[in-house]
């Protein structure tokens, strides 16, 4: 008998304000055509001025619990992947805990920028396999609109706000790759690439700062590293690209998504794509795409999924999971 962390619910939340590319044409030297062609992004949602990461995370969490038919009191732990928590501390996760009315268990944040959800899933899996928790809510939630430089056309058109959540529960398997649940995980980081993608503020500067990115260089690393990590996780599970039903990639740029799928030998018909509607929502992008993919009827019970992401750090990784 093998214990597996298995998905029983998924949900998402997008803030009301929907911003098409054309809105940037009024204030920046950019066009809808450039943004679509270079990134695949058509629109994104932005949080209302007072709306926070934990508020969106809590709404996504309640949707995931509703799908699983569980109450907040059934949950042992909450992990929120975010780089845009409401405050320096306490964690966004403890704020979600309060917002959903969960009074027991434990909650904490994981910060690995766009790779955050993959890191949080790996952490949840490890806690569950170690017997520390039987039911874990894993949430990706971000308000990148709060850390964008609205005068920098090379970054501000790329990002959006939102939240996605997943409930993981312990189930028994037979130890084979036919089991439902998390089958393999693969994480990496390399702090020497800090200057490619960072926020120029925080505790040391006294102001939150704005996002800075060497887009072309991040793009180059993304294409090389994403297929590598996905293939490593698949190999760990005794599987290959041919076994994959769905790649659920971090949604940063359609060209990166296509290049990664091509390297893995997986056709685009088997890739969940939401970047056109959400932009890059950093740690929220994979659970948002999962929730939308389930809603569209794409992802079905028993499907083999590979999630892969890269972001600031650089930090990157992947998770292989049977739905
Ligand atoms: N509108 C019009 N022109 C623009 C815009 C814009 N919004 N942005 C840049 N340009 C211009 C540039 O100034 C440049 O002009 P120049 O040739 O006169 O200097 C030209 O377009 C080409 O710029 P590149 O940077 O070479 O364009 P590229 O094709 O690389 O696309 C992009 C840029 C979209 C940023 C791409 O590099 C990318 O997606 N990079 C990866 C981003 C990513 O994956 N991030 C994930 C992690 S995010 C995280 O962790 C928070």
């Amino acid at each position: 008998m093998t214990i597996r962390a298995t998905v029983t619910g998924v949900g998402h939340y997008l803030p009301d304000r929907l911003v098409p590319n054309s809105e940037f044409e009024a204030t920046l030297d950019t066009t809808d055509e450039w943004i679509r062609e270079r990134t695949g992004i058509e629109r994104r949602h932005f949080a209302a001025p007072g709306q926070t990461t934990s508020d969106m995370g809590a709404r996504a969490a309640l949707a995931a619990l509703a799908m699983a038919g569980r109450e907040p009191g059934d949950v042992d732990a909450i992990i929120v992947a975010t780089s845009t928590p409401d405050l320096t501390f306490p964690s966004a996760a403890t704020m979600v805990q309060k917002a959903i009315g969960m009074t027991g268990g434990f909650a904490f944040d994981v910060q690995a920028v766009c790779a955050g959800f993959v890191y949080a899933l790996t952490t949840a899996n490890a806690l569950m396999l170690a017997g520390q928790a039987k039911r874990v809510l894993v949430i990706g939630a971000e308000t990148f609109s709060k850390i964008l430089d609205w005068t920098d056309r090379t970054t501000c058109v790329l990002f959006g706000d939102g939240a996605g959540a997943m409930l993981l529960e312990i189930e028994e398997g037979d130890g084979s790759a036919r089991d439902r649940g998390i089958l393999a995980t693969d994480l990496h980081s390399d702090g020497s690439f800090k200057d490619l993608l960072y926020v120029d503020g925080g505790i040391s500067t006294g102001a939150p700062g704005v996002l800075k990115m060497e887009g072309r260089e991040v793009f180059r690393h993304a294409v090389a590293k994403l297929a590598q990590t996905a293939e490593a996780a698949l190999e760990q599970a005794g599987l290959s690209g041919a076994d994959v039903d769905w790649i659920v990639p971090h949604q940063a740029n359609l060209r990166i998504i296509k290049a990664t799928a091509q390297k893995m030998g997986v056709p685009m018909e088997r890739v969940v794509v939401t970047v056109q509607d959400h932009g890059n929502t950093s740690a929220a992008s994979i659970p948002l795409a999962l929730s939308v993919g389930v809603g569209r009827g794409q992802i079905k019970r028993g499907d083999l999924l590979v999630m892969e992401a890269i972001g600031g750090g650089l930090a990157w990784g992947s998770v292989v999971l049977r739905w």
Side-chain angles (χ1 to χ4, degrees), residues 223-293:
V223 172
K225 293 182 165 60
L226 288 173
Q228 236 168 41
T229 179
E231 277 162 4
L234 282 166
E235 194 180 318
Q236 220 187 96
L239 299 165
S240 75
D243 300 303
V244 173
D245 291 301
W246 293 103
I247 299 178
V248 187
H250 170 47
Q251 311 280 325
N253 184 315
L254 187 56
R255 292 186 292 140
I256 295 174
I257 294 172
K258 283 183 173 166
T260 306
Q262 192 179 11
K263 274 198 167 187
M264 291 174 63
V266 176
M268 280 305 287
E269 296 75 52
R270 291 198 269 133
V271 183
V272 177
V273 180
T274 55
V275 69
Q276 69 282 1
D277 297 325
H278 302 161
N280 181 348
T281 58
S282 192
S285 98
I286 287 179
L288 259 167
L290 278 170
S291 181
V292 168

Side-chain angles (χ1 to χ4, degrees), residues 63 81 210:
V210 291

Side-chain angles (χ1 to χ4, degrees), residues 180-256:
R180 293 184 64 226
I182 293 176
L183 301 177
T185 61
D186 183 62
L187 298 184
H188 302 270
S189 66
D190 185 341
S192 64
F193 294 118
K194 176 240 156 191
D195 289 342
L196 297 188
L197 179 53
Y198 65 100
V199 171
D200 66 355
I203 295 296
S204 60
T205 67
V210 291
L211 184 145
K212 304 279 182 189
M213 179 165 73
E214 299 283 339
R216 210 174 306 186
E217 274 301 293
V218 175
F219 193 104
R220 204 172 57 78
H221 283 285
V223 172
K225 293 182 165 60
L226 288 173
Q228 236 168 41
T229 179
E231 277 162 4
L234 282 166
E235 194 180 318
Q236 220 187 96
L239 299 165
S240 75
D243 300 303
V244 173
D245 291 301
W246 293 103
I247 299 178
V248 187
H250 170 47
Q251 311 280 325
N253 184 315
L254 187 56
R255 292 186 292 140
I256 295 174

